Structure formats: structure tokens, C-alpha cells
Amino acid sequence: MLPRRGRAGLAAVLALLAPPLLACEPELVPVAPATWVVEGAREEIAADNCGLIANLGVIATGEGVVLIDSGPSRTLGEALEAEIMALTGQPVRWVLNTHHHPDHVFGNQAFARAEVLALAGTAEAMARDAAAFEANLRRLLGEAFAGTRLRLPDRTVAPGRHDFGGYPLELHAFRGHSGADLVIFDAATGVLFAGDLVFHQRTATTPHTPGLQAWIEELDRLETLNYRVMVPGHGPVDHDGAALAQTRDYLAWLDRHFDEQASRGATANQVREAPLPERFAGLALAEYELTRSLSHLYPRYEQRWLWGEE
């Protein structure tokens, strides 16, 4: 047996060799019976937040857990799996990917015992963009992304009522945010997991939208679902309809603003210089996301006015 001093030295060496602990432990907050949410930071993806910027949902069915989105990395997924098991005593058996953006899906790899499900369009987009997303996350997250590879869905799902260990959930297919957006409604609790169709106190991202008008029309459809609790893709859980109304208001303004500016021939730099309406200036990442939307979305408006193209 090593003497006490030797054991202490060995422990110190092992601690140095061990992989670093995750600095951003996921916190599961209850929102309904047997239902929890991990709220992501209202920030850009960065090493300081471990990429945990999206909201993740957890539903314990009694026969296993349904996880709604898996986060940005294997390490985060493993930490989440441990938290879920400690809290519910149930393994994650199903992972539902709401859409293909990297902050929502790169944790899939951690849930080896679970079946990963997504819309067909989401699975196609994940395969298409995996390499680019992986390279970007590795650059942004560094060690927090170590060992992560994208696990594609095991099976695609169609909209309708689906049973998960005998627990029914309604799956709805939309496309306004990413081209393929899965919305999950739990009629038993009234909780609606809207994915990135809805943002709350955080500016909407628009890189893969088929069009802002299409997105706005889908929010009108979303509003007809008889939900009591809205879990947006980013931002705080909502109980009074404010999240959906705020998202609709921002998208409608952005659509009008870009259209008006393009109609008079404004350049992207000129549009960027215009002040944000006061009601949006306080949203997280407002200037950042407006700049991103200008780069990938404003050219569509310019083409429409210059050439009549959509």
C-alpha cells in the first residue's frame, strides 16, 4: 500500500490526467408534471457556455424518457443523461430532434440506448450540413466538443399522434424556421415544445427559413393548438402567449423593414445603420442577429425588387 503522501500524489496526477469536468451543468427545471426544461443561455455559442444556448425538453413517461433536442456536444449530452437518470430514475429511450441546427442535435451521440427521431427533411439537412457544423462547433467550443460526432436520426417520423411507451404525444410538422421543424404537443399537460419556430426575449435566427411570410403564417397555425405552457427553442418558458406574439411581431417587422429598404435600393450597410425599434432593442443578440439576417436574407428582397425573383 502506498503511504498517505504517495496516495495524495497519485490522486493529484490522476486528476490532471482526467478529462475536464463540464463547466456548464444542465439544470432541469419543472414546468409540468413529469416534465422539465433545460433553459439555454441567451448568448452566442461559446466555450464559456459550452454551447448550451438552446432549450431542451424532458418528459418522463414511466417507461422511459422522451428527450426533446440533445444539445451541442457529446459531453453535454452525457451530463444531461446523468442528470435525467438521477432525477427520474428512467433512461432516455427516445430523442426527438426538432430541427437540424447544431445547438440542438450534436448531443445525440451520448444517448446510445435511445432511438433518435426526426422529420425526413431534418434528417436530410443534418446529413447535408454535418461537416460544416462540426468544424464550426469544434472551433467555437474547443475541449467542450472533444470526441463529438453527429449521430443522424435512426428513423424519420410523420406528423400525427405517436405513443412513447404508451404515452401519447402529438407531433406537428412545420417549416418556417429551418425548412423542417418538428413541434411536440403533450395534450395531457398542455405543454407545447415549439422548437425554434418561437423565440422569447432572444432575437430570432433566420439562416434557413424558406421565407418570413411562411414562418409568420405558421405561427398563426401554432396559436390554434390548445397549449397552456409554451417552451420556445430559445428563451424563458411562457405561460401567457407573450413568446409567440413577440416572435410574430419581430418577424413581421423584419419582413416589412427589409422589403421597404430594398424597394428604395438601400444597401445592406445602409439598412444596418437604421435604428432598431425600441421594443426589440432589448432582446438578446438583437444587433448580432439583425446583421446575420442582412447577410443571408436581405439579398432575397433585393432580388425581388431588382428582378422580380423570389
Side-chain angles (χ1 to χ4, degrees), residues 22-31 35-41 49 52 54-58 67 76 79-84 87 237:
L22 187 69
C24 320
E25 294 293 341
E27 179 184 0
L28 279 72
V29 177
V31 296
T35 308
W36 298 263
V37 169
V38 176
E39 184 181 331
N49 57 37
L52 182 54
N55 293 343
L56 315 175
V58 172
L67 176 63
L76 193 286
L80 179 61
E81 183 178 41
E83 289 290 324
I84 290 171
L87 182 65
V237 172

Side-chain angles (χ1 to χ4, degrees), residues 1-12:
M1 177 180 293
L2 287 172
R4 182 176 300 175
R5 181 176 299 175
R7 292 199 301 270
L10 179 60

Side-chain angles (χ1 to χ4, degrees), residues 61 72 104 131 154 156 229 238 266 273 281 300:
T61 71
H104 295 259
D154 301 303
T156 60
V229 179
D238 176 47
E273 292 170 359
R300 301 186 200 177

Side-chain angles (χ1 to χ4, degrees), residues 57-68:
V58 172
I59 301 172
T61 71
E63 297 295 328
V65 166
V66 177
L67 176 63
I68 299 167

Side-chain angles (χ1 to χ4, degrees), residues 96-99 117-126 153 155-160 162 171-175 178-183:
L96 298 177
N97 290 152
T98 61
H99 63 294
L117 308 171
L119 295 171
T122 296
E124 292 167 6
M126 287 169 69
R155 180 165 59 89
T156 60
V157 291
H162 293 256
L171 305 186
H172 298 265
F174 293 83
R175 59 190 295 270
S178 71
D181 298 288
L182 181 65
V183 168

